[in-house]
Amino acid sequence: MAKNTYKSPTTNNGAARKETAERKPTRRRQASRWSRAVAFFNDPRTHLTGGMLLLFLAFFLCIAFVSYLFTGRADQSSVNAVLDTPLPESGAETENWLGVTGAFLSHWFIYKWFGVSAFLLIPILFLAGYKIVFKRELFPIGRLTQVSVFAGVWISALLGYLVVGTEQREWLGFLSGGVGYELAAFCNSLLGWGTVLLLGFSLVVFVVYFFNVTTI
């Protein structure tokens, strides 16, 4: 006949204490990693580096975008083949003033996405970086962002409508970008000439709310 065996309470308590002791170092390591991460992001040097990076991006994109207006068409084939061509060859064929990187970023921001409205991103980056680096605000970034977002969409849609009307997307598509063109094509299919009225109405509504206009 098998004998009944009983676990000693002392043994169970010892195992529990051992398990708790093993978990404590893990929790301490996790807390230490979290505290180091928080300390890194709160470090003034990190803030300064981030602000300088935003300023660098603002100048970089400005030069790349301006160059795209002159070299974008010539660089389009190079950008399309950038993943299939060795980097030295792509750089040699690219005419953008900032090389392959400038041509690639300009192609996506201007031709693929927002058209010439992509230039509105530059002052946002610059003012944000300036505020972080110099601890001063040249212009309220929140209000600038609101204006830039609305103006970016509105201008892209307006230019997209012009591109749709002229049917010259291959030559003029960079004005509106892919977002503006598709938005304008949708509105044109839905409203026709009413797209112009919709754009005008949306501009009036934005001005009324942004500048808090209550009477005319």
Side-chain angles (χ1 to χ4, degrees):
M1 182 175 180
K3 293 183 180 180
N4 295 328
T5 57
Y6 298 93
K7 295 182 178 179
S8 172
T10 305
T11 304
N12 291 339
N13 292 338
R17 285 195 298 269
K18 182 179 180 181
E19 183 179 357
T20 303
E22 291 176 351
R23 289 180 180 177
K24 284 183 178 179
T26 302
R27 292 177 181 175
R28 289 174 182 171
R29 285 195 296 269
Q30 292 176 350
S32 178
R33 291 173 183 173
W34 175 254
S35 62
R36 285 198 298 267
V38 172
F40 174 78
F41 287 107
N42 288 333
D43 193 330
R45 294 172 297 181
T46 303
H47 297 171
L48 180 61
T49 302
M52 294 175 64
L53 177 61
L54 291 176
L55 291 175
F56 169 78
L57 288 176
F59 285 110
F60 188 94
L61 291 179
C62 182
I63 297 172
F65 289 176
V66 171
S67 176
Y68 180 86
L69 299 179
F70 302 98
T71 63
R73 189 175 302 281
D75 289 340
Q76 190 164 359
S77 58
S78 299
V79 171
N80 292 333
V82 68
L83 297 179
D84 301 324
T85 306
L87 188 59
E89 295 183 13
S90 299
E93 297 175 357
T94 302
E95 296 184 16
N96 190 283
W97 300 338
L98 295 179
V100 176
T101 303
F104 187 81
L105 291 176
S106 301
H107 179 76
W108 277 92
F109 273 99
I110 296 179
Y111 187 81
K112 289 287 188 179
W113 291 340
F114 310 116
V116 293
S117 297
F119 278 91
L120 295 173
L121 176 64
I122 296 172
I124 297 176
L125 294 175
F126 176 81
L127 290 179
Y130 186 92
K131 181 179 180 180
I132 295 173
V133 173
F134 298 102
K135 309 298 182 184
R136 290 199 302 265
E137 191 173 59
L138 294 177
F139 189 84
I141 299 176
R143 292 180 65 83
L144 177 64
T145 302
Q146 294 174 11
V147 173
S148 298
V149 170
F150 173 80
V153 176
W154 193 86
I155 294 174
S156 293
L158 177 62
L159 295 177
Y161 184 74
L162 297 178
V163 175
V164 170
T166 57
E167 298 181 354
Q168 295 292 330
R169 185 179 184 183
E170 182 179 354
W171 293 93
L172 300 177
F174 73 95
L175 293 175
S176 62
V179 173
Y181 182 86
E182 295 298 333
L183 181 60
F186 174 79
C187 292
N188 186 54
S189 301
L190 188 65
L191 302 172
W193 282 97
T195 303
V196 178
L197 298 178
L198 178 62
L199 289 172
F201 177 73
S202 63
L203 178 60
V204 171
V205 170
F206 176 79
V207 170
V208 167
Y209 277 91
F210 185 79
F211 294 102
N212 194 28
V213 178
T214 57
T215 58
I216 298 179

Short mmCIF file of all heavy atoms in Angstrom, two decimals, residues 123-132 136-148:
data_model
loop_
_atom_site.label_atom_id
_atom_site.label_comp_id
_atom_site.label_asym_id
_atom_site.label_seq_id
_atom_site.Cartn_x
_atom_site.Cartn_y
_atom_site.Cartn_z
N PRO A 123 9.33 75.20 -42.71
CA PRO A 123 9.28 76.15 -41.58
C PRO A 123 8.87 75.50 -40.26
O PRO A 123 9.31 75.95 -39.19
CB PRO A 123 8.25 77.19 -42.03
CG PRO A 123 7.50 76.56 -43.13
CD PRO A 123 8.44 75.62 -43.79
N ILE A 124 8.06 74.44 -40.31
CA ILE A 124 7.69 73.75 -39.07
C ILE A 124 8.92 73.12 -38.43
O ILE A 124 9.15 73.26 -37.22
CB ILE A 124 6.61 72.69 -39.35
CG1 ILE A 124 5.34 73.35 -39.87
CG2 ILE A 124 6.32 71.87 -38.09
CD1 ILE A 124 4.26 72.35 -40.25
N LEU A 125 9.71 72.42 -39.23
CA LEU A 125 10.92 71.80 -38.71
C LEU A 125 11.90 72.85 -38.20
O LEU A 125 12.51 72.69 -37.14
CB LEU A 125 11.59 70.95 -39.80
CG LEU A 125 10.82 69.73 -40.28
CD1 LEU A 125 11.54 69.07 -41.45
CD2 LEU A 125 10.65 68.73 -39.14
N PHE A 126 12.03 73.93 -38.94
CA PHE A 126 12.99 74.97 -38.56
C PHE A 126 12.59 75.63 -37.24
O PHE A 126 13.43 75.79 -36.34
CB PHE A 126 13.10 76.03 -39.65
CG PHE A 126 13.99 77.18 -39.29
CD1 PHE A 126 15.37 77.06 -39.41
CD2 PHE A 126 13.45 78.37 -38.81
CE1 PHE A 126 16.20 78.12 -39.06
CE2 PHE A 126 14.28 79.43 -38.46
CZ PHE A 126 15.65 79.30 -38.59
N LEU A 127 11.32 76.02 -37.11
CA LEU A 127 10.89 76.70 -35.89
C LEU A 127 10.93 75.77 -34.68
O LEU A 127 11.25 76.20 -33.57
CB LEU A 127 9.48 77.25 -36.09
CG LEU A 127 9.36 78.43 -37.06
CD1 LEU A 127 7.90 78.86 -37.19
CD2 LEU A 127 10.21 79.60 -36.60
N ALA A 128 10.60 74.49 -34.89
CA ALA A 128 10.68 73.53 -33.79
C ALA A 128 12.13 73.35 -33.34
O ALA A 128 12.43 73.35 -32.14
CB ALA A 128 10.08 72.19 -34.22
N GLY A 129 13.04 73.20 -34.28
CA GLY A 129 14.44 73.07 -33.94
C GLY A 129 15.00 74.33 -33.29
O GLY A 129 15.78 74.26 -32.33
N TYR A 130 14.60 75.48 -33.81
CA TYR A 130 15.07 76.76 -33.25
C TYR A 130 14.61 76.91 -31.80
O TYR A 130 15.37 77.36 -30.93
CB TYR A 130 14.55 77.91 -34.10
CG TYR A 130 15.08 79.26 -33.69
CD1 TYR A 130 16.22 79.78 -34.28
CD2 TYR A 130 14.42 80.03 -32.72
CE1 TYR A 130 16.71 81.03 -33.92
CE2 TYR A 130 14.90 81.27 -32.34
CZ TYR A 130 16.05 81.77 -32.94
OH TYR A 130 16.53 82.99 -32.58
N LYS A 131 13.37 76.54 -31.53
CA LYS A 131 12.84 76.66 -30.17
C LYS A 131 13.60 75.76 -29.20
O LYS A 131 13.89 76.14 -28.06
CB LYS A 131 11.35 76.30 -30.17
CG LYS A 131 10.71 76.41 -28.80
CD LYS A 131 9.23 76.08 -28.86
CE LYS A 131 8.59 76.18 -27.47
NZ LYS A 131 7.14 75.87 -27.51
N ILE A 132 13.93 74.55 -29.64
CA ILE A 132 14.65 73.61 -28.77
C ILE A 132 16.08 74.06 -28.52
O ILE A 132 16.58 74.02 -27.39
CB ILE A 132 14.62 72.20 -29.39
CG1 ILE A 132 13.19 71.67 -29.44
CG2 ILE A 132 15.50 71.25 -28.58
CD1 ILE A 132 13.06 70.35 -30.17
N ARG A 136 13.86 79.81 -27.49
CA ARG A 136 13.00 80.94 -27.86
C ARG A 136 12.08 80.51 -28.98
O ARG A 136 12.43 79.64 -29.78
CB ARG A 136 13.84 82.14 -28.32
CG ARG A 136 14.63 82.83 -27.22
CD ARG A 136 15.05 84.23 -27.65
NE ARG A 136 15.83 84.18 -28.88
CZ ARG A 136 17.15 84.16 -28.92
NH1 ARG A 136 17.83 84.15 -27.78
NH2 ARG A 136 17.79 84.13 -30.06
N GLU A 137 10.92 81.14 -29.03
CA GLU A 137 9.93 80.80 -30.05
C GLU A 137 9.75 81.99 -30.97
O GLU A 137 9.27 83.05 -30.56
CB GLU A 137 8.60 80.41 -29.40
CG GLU A 137 7.62 79.79 -30.37
CD GLU A 137 6.39 79.28 -29.67
OE1 GLU A 137 5.71 80.10 -29.01
OE2 GLU A 137 6.08 78.08 -29.76
N LEU A 138 10.14 81.82 -32.22
CA LEU A 138 9.99 82.90 -33.19
C LEU A 138 8.54 83.10 -33.58
O LEU A 138 8.10 84.23 -33.86
CB LEU A 138 10.82 82.59 -34.44
CG LEU A 138 12.34 82.55 -34.27
CD1 LEU A 138 13.00 82.17 -35.58
CD2 LEU A 138 12.85 83.90 -33.78
N PHE A 139 7.78 82.01 -33.62
CA PHE A 139 6.37 82.05 -34.02
C PHE A 139 5.69 80.84 -33.39
O PHE A 139 6.30 79.77 -33.28
CB PHE A 139 6.25 81.99 -35.55
CG PHE A 139 4.87 82.23 -36.05
CD1 PHE A 139 4.41 83.52 -36.24
CD2 PHE A 139 4.02 81.17 -36.34
CE1 PHE A 139 3.12 83.75 -36.71
CE2 PHE A 139 2.74 81.39 -36.81
CZ PHE A 139 2.28 82.69 -36.99
N PRO A 140 4.43 80.99 -32.93
CA PRO A 140 3.74 79.85 -32.31
C PRO A 140 3.69 78.65 -33.24
O PRO A 140 3.08 78.70 -34.31
CB PRO A 140 2.35 80.40 -32.00
CG PRO A 140 2.54 81.89 -31.89
CD PRO A 140 3.63 82.23 -32.87
N ILE A 141 4.33 77.56 -32.84
CA ILE A 141 4.42 76.39 -33.72
C ILE A 141 3.06 75.74 -33.91
O ILE A 141 2.75 75.24 -34.99
CB ILE A 141 5.42 75.38 -33.13
CG1 ILE A 141 6.81 76.01 -33.04
CG2 ILE A 141 5.48 74.11 -33.96
CD1 ILE A 141 7.85 75.13 -32.39
N GLY A 142 2.22 75.77 -32.86
CA GLY A 142 0.90 75.16 -32.98
C GLY A 142 0.07 75.82 -34.07
O GLY A 142 -0.55 75.14 -34.90
N ARG A 143 0.04 77.14 -34.08
CA ARG A 143 -0.74 77.87 -35.10
C ARG A 143 -0.13 77.68 -36.48
O ARG A 143 -0.86 77.52 -37.47
CB ARG A 143 -0.80 79.36 -34.75
CG ARG A 143 -1.63 79.65 -33.50
CD ARG A 143 -1.66 81.13 -33.20
NE ARG A 143 -2.34 81.90 -34.24
CZ ARG A 143 -3.66 82.05 -34.31
NH1 ARG A 143 -4.45 81.47 -33.42
NH2 ARG A 143 -4.20 82.79 -35.27
N LEU A 144 1.19 77.69 -36.55
CA LEU A 144 1.83 77.46 -37.84
C LEU A 144 1.51 76.07 -38.38
O LEU A 144 1.27 75.90 -39.58
CB LEU A 144 3.35 77.62 -37.70
CG LEU A 144 4.16 77.34 -38.97
CD1 LEU A 144 3.82 78.34 -40.06
CD2 LEU A 144 5.64 77.34 -38.68
N THR A 145 1.49 75.07 -37.50
CA THR A 145 1.18 73.72 -37.93
C THR A 145 -0.25 73.62 -38.45
O THR A 145 -0.51 72.97 -39.48
CB THR A 145 1.38 72.74 -36.76
OG1 THR A 145 2.72 72.83 -36.29
CG2 THR A 145 1.10 71.30 -37.21
N GLN A 146 -1.18 74.28 -37.76
CA GLN A 146 -2.57 74.27 -38.22
C GLN A 146 -2.69 74.88 -39.61
O GLN A 146 -3.35 74.31 -40.49
CB GLN A 146 -3.44 75.03 -37.23
CG GLN A 146 -3.56 74.38 -35.86
CD GLN A 146 -4.32 75.25 -34.87
OE1 GLN A 146 -4.93 76.24 -35.23
NE2 GLN A 146 -4.26 74.88 -33.60
N VAL A 147 -2.06 76.04 -39.79
CA VAL A 147 -2.12 76.69 -41.11
C VAL A 147 -1.45 75.84 -42.17
O VAL A 147 -1.96 75.70 -43.29
CB VAL A 147 -1.44 78.09 -41.04
CG1 VAL A 147 -1.34 78.70 -42.43
CG2 VAL A 147 -2.22 79.00 -40.11
N SER A 148 -0.31 75.25 -41.83
CA SER A 148 0.45 74.47 -42.81
C SER A 148 -0.31 73.22 -43.24
O SER A 148 -0.31 72.86 -44.42
CB SER A 148 1.82 74.10 -42.23
OG SER A 148 2.58 75.25 -41.95
#
